Amino acid sequence: MILLRRLLGDVLRRQRQRQGRTLREVSSSARVSLGYLSEVERGQKEASSELLAAICDALELRMSELLREVSDELALAELAQSAARDTVPPPMRPMLNPVRVTSVTGRPDERVTIKAPTEAVDVVAA
């Protein structure tokens, strides 16, 4: 499952690190506790829109730029998840019971029932 709060935290952390700033500097500027900002960056806390606005202001980052980068990462994560789901073949189920013929008398026009593990199939002997 893709968590939006994790992607958001990853982007915020990258933005902060690109600027060479510490958690302490950004938390002070945004007036957010250092611990809470750390939890947001690690994707452990959901940030409110007010908190995101304060962090974006502290990073001198437009919220639209933050959300665009998060949206791009979300799209890539969804594609990767979809590709992984589509390309992995389902596990092969071994045949639990061998196929067996339940009645044969040798007459050419007799119906023979062959029972497979999941279904019964009627076969007419030729």
Side-chain angles (χ1 to χ4, degrees):
M1 177 189 332
I2 303 166
L3 294 178
L4 187 58
R5 70 175 185 251
R6 279 216 184 115
L7 294 175
L8 191 60
D10 289 344
V11 172
L12 286 171
R13 178 183 291 121
R14 273 198 312 275
Q15 287 290 337
R16 178 180 58 77
Q17 290 173 340
R18 282 181 197 147
Q19 296 176 13
R21 297 179 65 192
T22 65
L23 271 171
R24 186 172 310 282
E25 291 170 342
V26 175
S27 69
S28 175
S29 180
R31 296 185 179 189
V32 176
S33 77
L34 185 137
Y36 196 80
L37 180 57
S38 174
E39 288 178 312
V40 168
E41 282 192 358
R42 287 181 282 139
Q44 295 177 337
K45 293 286 185 185
E46 295 277 351
S48 67
S49 58
E50 292 86 1
L51 180 64
L52 285 177
I55 296 169
C56 285
D57 285 345
L59 292 170
E60 298 177 358
L61 172 70
R62 290 186 183 145
M63 194 177 304
S64 60
E65 292 172 1
L66 169 71
L67 296 177
R68 186 175 313 120
E69 193 171 338
V70 170
S71 176
D72 291 346
E73 289 201 11
L74 180 59
L76 289 173
E78 288 173 336
L79 285 173
Q81 193 176 57
S82 176
R85 190 174 37 243
D86 292 342
T87 59
V88 175
M92 294 290 291
R93 215 179 98 199
M95 185 178 279
L96 301 176
N97 299 320
V99 175
R100 59 184 184 271
V101 177
T102 58
S103 66
V104 176
T105 61
R107 296 193 332 216
D109 60 343
E110 182 178 359
R111 295 187 72 127
V112 176
T113 301
I114 300 174
K115 292 186 180 179
T118 58
E119 62 185 319
V121 179
D122 286 336
V123 178
V124 177

